Amino acid sequence: MQTNFTAEQLADPHVATSEKILRKCVHCGFCTATCPTYVTLGNELDSPRGRIYLIKDMLENGRPADAEVVTHIDRCLSCLSCVTTCPSGVDYMHLVDHARMHIEATYKRPLRDRLTRGLLAAVLPHPGRFRLALRAAALGRPFAGLLKRFKPLEPFGAMLDLAPRRVPKAAKSAEPGTHPASGTRRGRVAILTGCAQPVLKPEINEATISLLTRFGIEVVAPAGEVCCGSLVHHMGREEAALEAARRNVDVWLEEIEREGLDAIIVTASGCGTTIKDYGFMLRLDLAYAGKAARVSALAKDVTEYLATLDLPPQEAKGLTVAYHSACSMQHGQKITTLPKTLLKTAGFAVRDPAEGHLCCGSAGTYNILQPAISQKLKARKVRNIEATKPDLIATGNIGCITQIATGTEIPILHTVELLDWAYGGKKPAALS
Ligand code: SF4
Ligand code: SF4
């Protein structure tokens, strides 16, 4: 694609990066067919190609974002299905990240949007605040339907719908500390404790620690870790995201220098995609660029690390698992077959639902901010999963677990919970 930026505009490193991305797009439109919002809404401006044109026009003309651009960029799930499809290697992820920063800097959202986004950014990344909010949501649940009837209150209704009926107690696995390896130590890793996940489903990191330590890996949860920053990053609040990234980089580097780390284990693929991108996010910060790149290189989804441990084949369990590949897993991190191979080796029969490339509609805070599109995508995803007639569903991202669980009675678990059980750990409560 031809671009017309001035030398002055290109002096801005963000614009220079976006210009390189834009020049790779050849308008072929292959990406439209695999874009969940285009498939759902049928509007070119809700396709990757349409959004690329809107972003190009806004940046080239040095214009502040307007309501039209904001509408179509806000509808983008950042699922990155278009990145997988694009034959020209267009890095849509960093382009839309830049567009979101530009929107945040130049567009004044209506009061309702500002309040909702401000509330999400102030609560979700902080486990203590999030736990309190979930307890309050449990009381407000009966009013979800009423709130959803009034457009301005729709996001609050969606929040109540997603809140669990019972909030688990704070878990030991969410506290800083070292979990020693059983027997001879084969390796040492740090685990990202996370923000929303340990509050919603502490069993995920418990299963990870139990499985890794049983196979001789010491797991450390370093003090001082914070949310990976992806929630605010996807809202265009770049300073807050970079601050979170710097804090985590400092914490993990200290651990690397103290006793060494073989990997930084991430059990939520949404967070994994962001941490693997810390090197890019902090590339302009001379004090952190190198350190962040080092951390990104060590970040591994738990299934990537487990694949290096050669877990032995187990007897068939007689259970069929529909594997839902989170967008951040398949499109963001390009991890496609590994989790399924691990599940099969562990004795599960694995099925691939149709349209596996399409998002379930969770996408961070998307199911709260864009509830109507999110509901349609969830219904489509659940239909495809249920058509495989599974006994249970496995996936590697807490957002998808929360989203899909509200649309089906089939138990949905994190892949690592099933692997831990198959290799001698606790049977997941959902299967008891
Ligand atoms: S990230 Fe997903 S929703 Fe956004 S343009 Fe690409 S395919 Fe469409
Ligand atoms: S598939 Fe790639 S090159 Fe083709 S329109 Fe989409 S982003 Fe552009």
Side-chain angles (χ1 to χ4, degrees):
M1 180 184 286
Q2 203 183 353
T3 57
N4 290 299
F5 289 94
T6 63
E8 199 187 343
Q9 285 175 310
L10 292 173
D12 176 337
H14 295 292
V15 175
T17 302
S18 290
E19 192 247 7
K20 283 200 188 95
I21 299 170
L22 289 166
R23 288 177 79 92
K24 281 196 165 182
C25 177
V26 295
H27 327 248
C28 65
F30 288 163
C31 51
T32 54
T34 60
C35 169
T37 54
Y38 181 75
V39 168
T40 306
L41 304 168
N43 180 349
E44 170 73 15
L45 293 180
D46 288 314
S47 77
R49 186 173 58 181
R51 291 185 177 113
I52 287 170
Y53 279 124
L54 288 175
I55 297 170
K56 175 179 185 284
D57 185 54
M58 173 175 76
L59 295 179
E60 250 178 13
N61 291 301
R63 272 196 290 103
D66 59 25
E68 188 191 33
V69 174
V70 174
T71 298
H72 299 292
I73 298 297
D74 279 358
R75 284 185 191 155
C76 169
L77 296 132
S78 277
C79 69
L80 309 181
S81 176
C82 48
V83 176
T84 299
T85 311
C86 177
S88 305
V90 172
D91 179 4
Y92 177 84
M93 177 172 99
H94 291 130
L95 185 67
V96 81
D97 285 347
H98 181 202
R100 291 199 164 110
M101 279 164 58
H102 188 78
I103 289 171
E104 193 62 15
T106 63
Y107 182 72
K108 188 165 182 189
R109 292 178 180 275
L111 181 65
R112 173 192 71 121
D113 272 22
R114 277 183 277 142
L115 286 176
T116 314
R117 285 166 176 265
L119 184 71
L120 291 172
V123 172
L124 287 184
H126 305 278
R129 296 179 204 170
F130 185 47
R131 186 183 304 283
L132 281 179
L134 286 182
R135 292 213 173 111
L139 301 175
R141 250 180 168 274
F143 304 104
L146 190 66
L147 292 179
K148 282 193 288 181
R149 266 190 250 152
F150 300 100
K151 188 83 185 142
L153 299 178
E154 223 183 347
F156 297 97
M159 273 187 232
L160 295 182
D161 267 349
L162 287 165
R165 281 168 207 286
R166 195 186 63 82
V167 186
K169 282 201 196 119
K172 272 245 165 292
S173 59
E175 290 170 15
T178 299
H179 303 269
S182 303
T184 312
R185 190 174 100 173
R186 294 166 68 192
R188 185 172 191 270
V189 299
I191 188 167
L192 170 75
T193 304
C195 51
Q197 180 180 283
V199 178
L200 289 165
K201 234 177 166 286
E203 302 93 309
I204 297 173
N205 276 3
E206 279 167 6
T208 305
I209 293 166
S210 146
L211 180 59
L212 288 174
T213 52
R214 204 171 321 118
F215 277 88
I217 309 301
E218 181 172 292
V219 182
V220 56
E225 275 181 359
V226 292
C227 162
C228 69
S230 65
L231 287 166
V232 280
H233 181 56
H234 289 141
M235 289 185 192
R237 298 180 176 214
E238 205 49 17
E239 256 326 300
L242 295 185
E243 206 32 56
R246 286 188 196 101
R247 282 186 62 179
N248 284 331
V249 166
D250 283 340
V251 165
W252 289 323
L253 272 186
E254 201 184 311
E255 204 54 56
I256 292 167
E257 272 146 31
R258 210 166 57 86
E259 276 201 60
L261 287 177
D262 301 322
I264 297 161
I265 301 296
V266 189
T267 53
S269 59
C271 309
T273 305
T274 299
I275 295 168
K276 287 181 178 182
D277 200 40
Y278 275 2
F280 181 89
M281 287 165 66
L282 287 166
R283 72 198 183 286
L284 303 174
D285 182 337
L286 292 184
Y288 275 86
K291 295 192 273 186
R294 211 170 147 200
V295 159
S296 288
L298 270 185
K300 298 271 176 285
D301 182 74
V302 60
T303 55
E304 284 180 289
Y305 188 72
L306 287 172
T308 67
L309 300 183
D310 291 327
L311 305 186
Q314 300 295 291
E315 274 179 24
K317 295 263 171 313
L319 284 173
T320 302
V321 178
Y323 177 71
H324 162 70
S325 189
C327 298
S328 42
M329 188 77 82
Q330 59 171 321
H331 305 306
Q333 299 187 51
K334 308 291 179 220
I335 301 170
T336 50
T337 53
L338 262 185
K340 291 186 282 186
T341 306
L342 286 167
L343 285 168
K344 285 176 195 165
T345 308
F348 298 97
V350 180
R351 295 210 175 130
D352 277 317
E355 298 185 324
H357 61 285
L358 287 183
C359 181
C360 67
S362 166
T365 53
Y366 192 92
N367 46 7
I368 295 169
L369 296 170
Q370 298 284 340
I373 305 171
S374 167
Q375 288 291 334
K376 283 188 184 154
L377 290 170
K378 177 173 76 178
R380 189 167 181 150
K381 180 61 68 185
V382 167
R383 261 199 318 276
N384 282 322
I385 288 174
E386 289 184 343
T388 68
K389 304 205 182 310
D391 298 305
L392 48 123
I393 308 162
T395 189
N397 193 45
I398 183 66
C400 310
I401 292 176
T402 311
Q403 171 86 342
I404 295 170
T406 59
T408 181
E409 294 299 319
I410 302 170
I412 176 159
L413 295 152
H414 192 287
T415 308
V416 80
E417 290 181 89
L418 291 174
L419 295 176
D420 179 44
W421 173 42
Y423 290 100
K426 213 167 63 176
K427 186 171 187 179
L431 301 182
S432 296

